[in-house]
Amino acid sequence: ADGAFDGALRFARARGHRLEMGMEHGWNEIVHRAPGRYDVLWGINGDDHLTSLAQEWEPFISELLGGPGQWHLQFNGLLMTLPGASEQAWHIDGEHLFCEEARDVT
């Protein structure tokens, strides 16, 4: 986790990016969500070890969520929280899954 976090920071800094807070200032690889909190995909998403761990959990998750085909893993990510970090605002982790299904919620 530390290596992925440090790598993402080095990647951003090497390109002159200060990594200010907010999604609008982030990259796909790392987003500074709140003071001391970062969402990191760099070195995490698609990692062979993490992917194999996710596959081990698939039978349990499928059973819990209603069977095969009822869910899918969008990505592997890391929330890096440093000592003294602030709470982060609510946000979605990934794209909406059912945008084509408009619902009347009124």
Side-chain angles (χ1 to χ4, degrees):
D2 288 333
F5 177 63
D6 292 341
L9 289 179
R10 281 193 307 275
F11 177 83
R13 288 181 185 138
R15 286 154 181 79
H17 193 62
R18 290 183 5 165
L19 204 59
E20 296 178 18
M21 269 190 303
M23 188 69 184
E24 66 275 13
H25 302 293
W27 293 21
N28 287 338
E29 295 83 4
I30 187 169
V31 177
H32 190 181
R33 291 282 183 190
R37 289 187 187 265
Y38 300 82
D39 278 346
V40 181
L41 295 182
W42 179 273
I44 300 294
N45 193 33
D47 176 81
D48 290 339
H49 178 68
L50 294 174
T51 300
S52 70
L53 289 175
Q55 290 170 348
E56 290 180 27
W57 281 89
E58 282 185 19
F60 172 73
I61 295 169
S62 288
E63 184 176 327
L64 186 67
L65 297 179
Q70 299 300 309
W71 69 281
H72 74 274
L73 180 64
Q74 289 184 315
F75 59 86
N76 293 324
L78 162 72
L79 173 61
M80 178 60 84
T81 304
L82 303 176
S86 298
E87 291 186 14
Q88 67 183 22
W90 182 92
H91 65 278
I92 62 168
D93 283 339
E95 301 298 321
H96 293 287
L97 299 179
F98 308 106
C99 293
E100 68 281 356
E101 296 179 17
R103 293 186 177 169
D104 183 6
V105 293
T106 59

